[in-house]
Amino acid sequence: MGAAEDARYDGVDRRPWGKFDRATLRVYSLLFHLIDVGAVAGVLWDRFLTPSQRKVISAGLNVPQERARSVVCFLAAMHDIGKLIPYFQSLEPAAYVRLGEELLRDTGRVVHVPHARASMHVGLHLLGELGFVVGGNDSPAVRAAQCLGGHHGRFLQLDVDGTASVQRVEATLGGPAWQDLRRRYARLLWHLSGVDEVPGRVSVEAAVLITGLTMVADRVASQRRYWVPNADTPSFGAAEHHSRARRQAEEEVERLGLARFSLDRIPFTTAHPGLKKPNALQGSVMEELPHLVAERGSGIAVVTDAMGTGKSVTALEMARIFNEHCGTQGVMWLLPATAAADQAYEVLDRYVRAHQPEYAPVTLVHHHSDLNEAYTDRCLSPADASVLDGPPDDPFTDDREDLCADDESEYGPGAAGPDRWLRGRDNALLAQYTVSTTDQAQMAALPVRHSALRLLALSGKTVVVDEAHALEPFSQLQLLRLLHWLGALNCPVVLLSATMPASTATELVRAYLSGAGRTGLHGASFAPGYPGWLFADAATAIAHRMSEPAQGQQRAAQRRTARIRIRPVIYRPLEQADRTAEAGERLAEIADVLQPVVRHGGCAAVVCATVADAQDTYEYLRRIWTGPPDELVLVHARVRERRRQNTLEDLRRRLGPTGPRPARRVFVTTSLLDVSLDIDLDLMVTDLASLARLLQRLGRLGRFTRMWTGQDRRPAWWNGDNSPTLTVLHPVNSRGATALPPGWDTVEPAVALHETARLLPALEKEPLVVPDDVQALVEQVHGVTSGFAAETTRLQQMAAAHQTRTSRQEQLSAVHLVPPAKRVSSLADLHRQHLTTAQAATRPGLLPRRLLPCHRSADGTLTLDAAGLYPLPDQEHLSPRHLRSILEHSLPVPAAWVARASARHQPPASWKQHPLLADIVLLPADSVTRESEHRFGQHWLRMDEELGLQHRKLQ
């Protein structure tokens, strides 16, 4: 029979099952599921894919876009053709017995083959019969077959002459009856998808996007509420079901918020409330960039400007221009820290809402976002939940055979092996407007499951990388590889930084342009100037810079002075809470610098090098504090999640440009304030840090002075004619030489701290002019031309040690990177290593574990509170309320600290089944003995409700 006849009601056999509901014994036809996914893929092509992505796919298939759409729908529909094998069909006896006698007689020896791999093996020959060229790794049939096998998240190696050979397929995946039915299914799907031309090639970039799209389509069509109603309806023929499936797919894509939308053009002041007009840099971008992008197409832009001068607004205007001319839609805003991401989310959400769209989901993606009000409670579902769709099909999933398949399973901590990351977090990346921490995007360049979906999510939008200089070499290498892939996918990128060395900007731009296919870039510089912007188009790699007159206007408009004062101090830990700090000690000097605030009010911050130093400082200041207790605030990473979130939110609100500024407030903190927090301080004292960090901190001093002209928001001691002053505590020994305390060199390289310390005396003599002096200072310490390291033997040794550490980080990072797109032969090269998201390090060092401080009552019951009112839940299905409460009370710690946890530190057994709770370690305080100290090997931990987690490493 032909495909047209098979499409009728009494045509091809529809009894093989694709979905099964064990609770109700509902069976859903495999053929109908394949048609569903193909239909969803077609709607996603029309409504979700951007013109830029469609162009990449059609060019990669070497066919026009209309024909490319048909091919994509067909390949998406073919994703589960490997379920039409005896092994899979026999997994559910109640469904298996419904098969026709012909198939049951022709089963033969049942061989365990996971259905994703089976789809690849049987698909290869079916594609060959349809006209796809079968050859080497880069042949159309092989790559298309790998797209089928990769729909569960990993590209698999295809051995054409081995396990995928015709003889092996016939011997292991069913006899002639099975083969014939698979052939009829394939030709029917080919017919329904409207394919009339076989693609002449399948590029790596196209294959990645097609596979990512198939993953999304499969997730949509596999929701129980999507397919179960179809199983209850009267049977249709394939053609009738296809017509119905397209209507259902359109409704579902719209309901899930996956359909792209356009924002209307609105005035600048409406899009950015609170701004009266664009500054010189923003105006230059809005005037000069549109015709460059319209003429030359997509590319990469770099924006450098002083702290607090509106780089975020510049990035949004650049994204608007790129989206208008490059065929992309939306923004993916990447930041290095969760606190910065939380604030950027508010900015992006406000920007989108200013356009008054009917429906415009904006998502926030990072490992603390579960506690943010931007997410609903359904994010805390134990399996594959996301902000875009509802709970998954567990426990009714049909993919249970994958749990023991070496090539497809996820292995993580705990007996059940759930990922430590919230599964389905990548779904949130699909939203058109997304704020995320950079590590979520970095995993697109690592061989983790569903990396193709991450690349799909990234490539359809303008990607903004904020604070692009702030990554360590380990993470920077991953960012370079990600930029390479974004260049290959023709995705526009904007890099933002206040303190980026010219060499770093050039390296990042080159990585992008190399991915776009440009060569011979090693002699070119892509430094934008300071302040300024640069645009390098992917087509020619020519650098276009901000005009000099506009650059001069920006420099003059933003020019302000600031002072740096150095206080040499003797570093000595507090050790005893009642110890009196002597004159010249670090703690005594901090108290002295804070006197104007203590006596006359104002807002100040004490920025400490480590958490232990912040705890010491707070404890000392608390003892001598004479004002209300709530005016002295401690905030760092080692407090309970909810407390940290609330404190940072209060800080952003009260110290922001329009917040209800307190009369007096002192924040004792760590480097949490360094990145992208839009706050204003009257006074700041900081431990010695690298010059780039000091400049970032300086950007929060008197930040809104111009904005507040004529307003009485400053304390009485503030002198508007004088420059705001950053006091830097310089730890010295008895000879006056720099003496770094233990542990400080693990926060930043020792050579950078020493170089900064040598530079500071010169900066103390004259006020620092911002932005004029910033770039030159950054280059002196952080640039490739820095000359400090050559001045003394000791600094030479430190520089050599730093270079060795950097090389070691880069080598370690490179081990897990996926290859550049141009170097991929077999798609399996993208998943040569079996790396899970739980194992994928995006920063150097050991992966963190979650610690849950709790209390043990007299009867042994574990509770979240000291009063014993909230017992730790221990049940198979935890409600979102329970999960949120647990996570709010937990905090992340280095895995090494709790590596030697004993039985009393283990969570309830039921938690091991949950991906968010599987790796939690308990830290119980005994309510009877009052003992709250715990020893994990060499690490000593104690939870103080006010100071946070205290840590000490035993020698």
Side-chain angles (χ1 to χ4, degrees):
M1 297 178 68
E5 290 76 15
D6 279 344
R8 297 172 181 169
Y9 175 74
D10 56 352
V12 72
D13 185 358
R14 301 188 306 276
R15 285 172 291 185
W17 66 278
K19 297 288 180 183
F20 183 78
D21 187 339
R22 297 182 197 133
T24 62
L25 300 184
R26 285 188 179 95
V27 176
Y28 192 50
S29 166
L30 171 61
L31 177 60
F32 284 4
H33 173 63
L34 300 181
I35 292 173
D36 287 347
V37 174
V40 173
V43 175
L44 290 175
W45 175 281
D46 298 331
R47 306 291 305 279
F48 172 75
L49 285 188
T50 63
S52 174
Q53 290 173 312
R54 292 195 287 264
K55 184 177 179 181
V56 170
I57 294 175
S58 63
L61 298 180
N62 198 27
V63 296
Q65 288 195 21
E66 300 78 17
R67 295 177 179 176
R69 180 188 186 278
S70 298
V71 173
V72 169
C73 293
F74 168 71
L75 292 177
M78 286 283 287
H79 76 292
D80 268 352
I81 194 68
K83 288 183 176 180
L84 191 48
I85 61 174
Y87 168 70
F88 180 86
Q89 292 296 315
S90 66
L91 290 176
E92 291 297 343
Y96 184 63
V97 297
R98 298 175 54 168
L99 296 181
E101 289 296 327
E102 188 179 7
L103 290 180
L104 293 175
R105 285 196 306 267
D106 197 30
T107 296
R109 183 168 61 95
V110 177
V111 179
H112 175 182
V113 180
H115 79 261
R117 185 171 288 278
S119 292
M120 181 174 65
H121 287 174
V122 303
L124 175 68
H125 304 291
L126 295 173
L127 293 169
E129 291 176 2
L130 291 168
F132 285 76
V133 176
V134 180
N137 285 332
D138 60 350
S139 65
V142 170
R143 283 197 172 154
Q146 286 183 301
C147 290
L148 307 186
H151 78 272
H152 273 299
R154 298 187 188 280
F155 288 113
L156 310 173
Q157 183 60 47
L158 182 58
D159 185 358
V160 176
D161 299 319
T163 55
S165 65
V166 174
Q167 296 79 8
R168 289 289 294 274
V169 169
E170 291 177 350
T172 59
L173 301 181
W178 293 86
Q179 296 166 34
D180 179 66
L181 189 57
R182 290 194 294 261
R183 184 176 295 111
R184 292 174 68 181
Y185 273 23
R187 293 188 180 278
L188 177 56
L189 295 173
W190 180 270
H191 168 71
L192 293 175
S193 300
V195 185
D196 57 7
E197 181 179 356
V198 175
R201 62 189 290 260
V202 178
S203 71
V204 173
E205 296 86 348
V208 167
L209 294 185
I210 291 171
T211 306
L213 188 73
T214 302
M215 293 177 191
V216 179
D218 191 26
R219 290 185 184 187
V220 172
S222 294
Q223 300 172 96
R224 283 191 72 250
R225 57 173 196 77
Y226 190 91
W227 65 264
V228 167
N230 294 342
D232 290 335
T233 58
S235 296
F236 295 110
E240 292 172 296
H241 183 78
H242 181 247
S243 178
R244 184 177 185 274
R246 285 182 295 182
R247 294 193 299 272
Q248 185 181 11
E250 290 174 357
E251 295 172 0
E252 190 65 13
V253 168
E254 186 73 31
R255 189 193 72 81
L256 295 179
L258 291 173
R260 300 283 181 178
F261 55 88
S262 299
L263 297 181
D264 296 333
R265 287 293 300 271
I266 59 176
F268 177 88
T269 53
T270 305
H272 310 284
L275 297 182
K276 298 179 180 178
K277 64 178 181 178
N279 62 29
L281 191 150
Q282 294 158 359
S284 171
V285 166
M286 296 167 65
E287 180 180 348
E288 300 176 45
L289 187 61
H291 77 268
L292 289 173
V293 179
E295 177 184 348
R296 299 181 177 271
S298 183
I300 184 170
V302 184
V303 178
T304 57
D305 201 359
M307 299 67 65
T309 53
K311 290 187 293 297
S312 297
V313 172
T314 306
L316 291 174
E317 287 300 310
M318 281 186 159
R320 176 184 59 78
I321 294 167
F322 279 132
N323 290 339
E324 287 179 357
H325 298 285
C326 299
T328 50
Q329 293 175 300
V331 173
M332 175 71 73
W333 196 343
L334 306 177
L335 298 105
T338 58
D342 287 338
Q343 178 158 309
Y345 174 81
E346 297 172 5
V347 173
L348 184 60
D349 184 59
R350 186 165 56 245
Y351 171 79
V352 172
R353 283 190 288 108
H355 292 76
Q356 298 183 343
E358 290 185 8
Y359 176 67
V362 182
T363 59
L364 174 65
V365 187
H366 59 68
H367 62 285
H368 293 151
S369 59
D370 312 303
L371 307 182
N372 191 290
E373 293 181 358
Y375 279 115
T376 62
D377 283 344
R378 61 184 176 176
C379 284
L380 303 176
S381 173
D384 203 7
S386 77
V387 296
L388 296 182
D389 58 25
D393 301 342
D394 282 354
F396 307 110
T397 177
D398 56 77
D399 294 330
R400 61 189 177 91
E401 83 278 18
D402 287 344
L403 295 178
C404 56
D406 290 343
D407 56 3
E408 295 175 5
S409 299
E410 287 287 302
Y411 295 101
D419 264 358
R420 194 183 63 79
W421 296 88
L422 174 59
R423 294 180 184 171
R425 186 67 54 83
D426 46 9
N427 280 358
L429 296 172
L430 297 171
Q432 188 166 329
Y433 288 90
T434 303
V435 175
S436 169
T437 46
T438 310
D439 56 358
Q440 293 291 326
Q442 285 170 233
M443 280 192 280
L446 295 175
V448 299
R449 198 173 186 183
H450 302 125
S451 57
L453 188 146
R454 291 178 186 269
L455 285 171
L456 174 78
L458 287 163
S459 62
K461 301 178 273 249
T462 296
V463 176
V464 178
V465 186
D466 208 342
E467 305 292 350
H469 68 281
L471 301 177
E472 294 195 52
F474 183 97
S475 305
Q476 192 81 357
L477 196 62
Q478 295 177 353
L479 177 60
L480 290 171
R481 185 58 49 84
L482 175 63
L483 290 174
H484 182 104
W485 271 90
L486 294 178
L489 294 169
N490 203 35
C491 172
V493 172
V494 179
L495 306 176
L496 305 179
S497 179
T499 55
M500 182 189 292
S503 57
T504 301
T506 296
E507 186 179 28
L508 294 171
V509 173
R510 284 177 183 169
Y512 177 92
L513 296 175
S514 175
R518 307 285 72 81
T519 58
L521 304 174
H522 295 292
S525 171
F526 294 98
Y530 196 95
W533 60 266
L534 172 144
F535 168 62
D537 64 275
T540 67
I542 295 175
H544 312 271
R545 290 178 172 84
M546 179 181 181
S547 65
E548 291 187 8
Q551 197 171 27
Q553 292 176 17
Q554 176 71 3
R555 189 178 294 115
Q558 302 295 340
R559 185 172 289 125
R560 65 190 182 100
T561 59
R563 292 186 178 274
I564 293 180
R565 297 293 187 206
I566 307 171
R567 289 210 177 192
V569 297
I570 302 298
Y571 178 88
R572 184 182 171 189
L574 185 60
E575 294 175 341
Q576 297 176 348
D578 58 350
R579 184 179 73 81
T580 301
E582 300 177 0
E585 277 191 40
R586 172 182 173 276
L587 295 173
E589 292 297 318
I590 290 173
D592 183 59
V593 173
L594 291 175
Q595 285 306 304
V597 175
V598 173
R599 294 173 181 171
H600 307 293
C603 297
V606 181
V607 187
C608 305
T610 67
V611 171
D613 293 327
Q615 291 170 330
D616 260 10
T617 303
Y618 175 80
E619 196 167 8
Y620 179 76
L621 293 177
R622 181 183 58 181
R623 179 158 53 85
I624 64 175
W625 190 257
T626 57
D630 62 349
E631 293 183 348
L632 180 65
V633 181
L634 174 67
V635 56
H636 55 75
R638 274 193 247 147
V639 296
R640 299 179 193 270
E641 293 285 10
R642 175 50 62 191
R643 173 182 164 188
R644 186 186 67 85
Q645 290 271 22
N646 288 343
T647 305
L648 286 174
E649 182 180 349
D650 182 70
L651 183 151
R652 294 199 311 268
R653 184 173 62 89
R654 289 182 173 274
L655 301 189
T658 60
R661 197 170 181 85
R664 177 169 54 191
R665 190 66 55 91
V666 175
F667 290 91
V668 180
T669 185
T670 57
S671 57
L672 284 177
L673 299 189
D674 286 356
V675 181
S676 298
L677 286 183
D678 195 22
I679 60 173
D680 178 293
L681 294 162
D682 304 314
L683 183 148
M684 183 184 292
V685 55
T686 172
D687 283 328
L688 177 66
S690 67
L691 189 64
R693 290 200 178 194
L694 293 182
L695 290 172
Q696 291 282 354
R697 294 169 190 176
L698 189 65
R700 276 123 187 111
L701 275 174
R703 190 182 185 101
F704 307 136
T705 298
R706 283 193 176 93
M707 185 186 303
W708 292 346
T709 300
Q711 301 181 37
D712 186 19
R713 290 201 170 202
R714 297 294 182 190
W717 53 266
W718 176 271
N719 183 354
D721 297 328
N722 200 2
S723 303
T725 301
L726 176 69
T727 301
V728 181
L729 306 177
H730 179 202
V732 297
N733 57 22
S734 58
R735 301 186 303 277
T738 302
L740 298 182
W744 282 26
D745 59 349
T746 63
V747 179
E748 292 192 275
V751 64
L753 297 177
H754 278 271
E755 289 179 358
T756 301
R758 290 172 61 85
L759 182 65
L760 286 178
L763 295 179
E764 192 175 25
K765 295 178 182 178
E766 296 290 338
L768 179 68
V769 181
V770 179
D772 303 60
D773 297 339
V774 172
Q775 190 65 37
L777 292 173
V778 170
E779 297 295 340
Q780 286 190 57
V781 175
H782 301 277
V784 293
T785 59
S786 173
F788 283 106
E791 293 192 12
T792 68
T793 302
R794 187 178 178 211
L795 280 176
Q796 287 176 359
Q797 293 172 345
M798 287 184 182
H802 172 55
Q803 185 59 45
T804 300
R805 177 174 175 267
T806 297
S807 299
R808 187 166 57 247
Q809 282 193 18
E810 290 176 343
Q811 290 170 6
L812 183 61
S813 180
V815 166
H816 287 157
L817 283 177
V818 300
K822 303 301 181 186
R823 296 183 186 174
V824 174
S825 175
S826 168
L827 293 176
D829 294 341
L830 300 176
H831 291 102
R832 288 292 180 194
Q833 303 173 75
H834 194 97
L835 194 67
T836 70
T837 51
Q839 300 162 338
T842 54
R843 297 181 183 180
L846 295 175
L847 293 171
R849 296 284 298 274
R850 299 203 72 80
L851 189 71
L852 179 65
C854 55
H855 300 268
R856 191 185 304 276
S857 62
D859 62 358
T861 302
L862 292 171
T863 62
L864 289 172
D865 62 321
L869 300 178
Y870 302 100
L872 265 61
D874 184 9
Q875 56 202 55
E876 184 177 355
H877 299 292
L878 297 174
S879 69
R881 179 174 56 84
H882 283 142
L883 290 168
R884 185 179 295 279
S885 181
I886 293 169
L887 293 173
E888 286 176 346
H889 283 77
S890 68
L891 65 151
V893 296
W897 290 8
V898 293
R900 301 184 63 178
S902 63
R904 68 180 180 137
H905 301 118
Q906 297 303 313
S910 62
W911 293 15
K912 290 294 184 181
Q913 308 301 317
H914 198 289
L916 283 173
L917 309 180
D919 69 339
I920 279 186
V921 175
L922 302 184
L923 193 71
D926 197 302
S927 60
V928 177
T929 64
R930 302 295 179 185
E931 183 175 343
S932 58
E933 301 174 358
H934 294 260
R935 181 173 177 176
F936 299 82
Q938 292 182 309
H939 298 273
W940 175 90
L941 299 178
R942 177 180 177 274
M943 189 65 187
D944 185 287
E945 292 303 326
E946 189 170 8
L947 298 178
L949 184 70
Q950 296 177 300
H951 166 260
R952 179 162 51 91
K953 187 175 182 180
L954 305 175
Q955 301 299 324

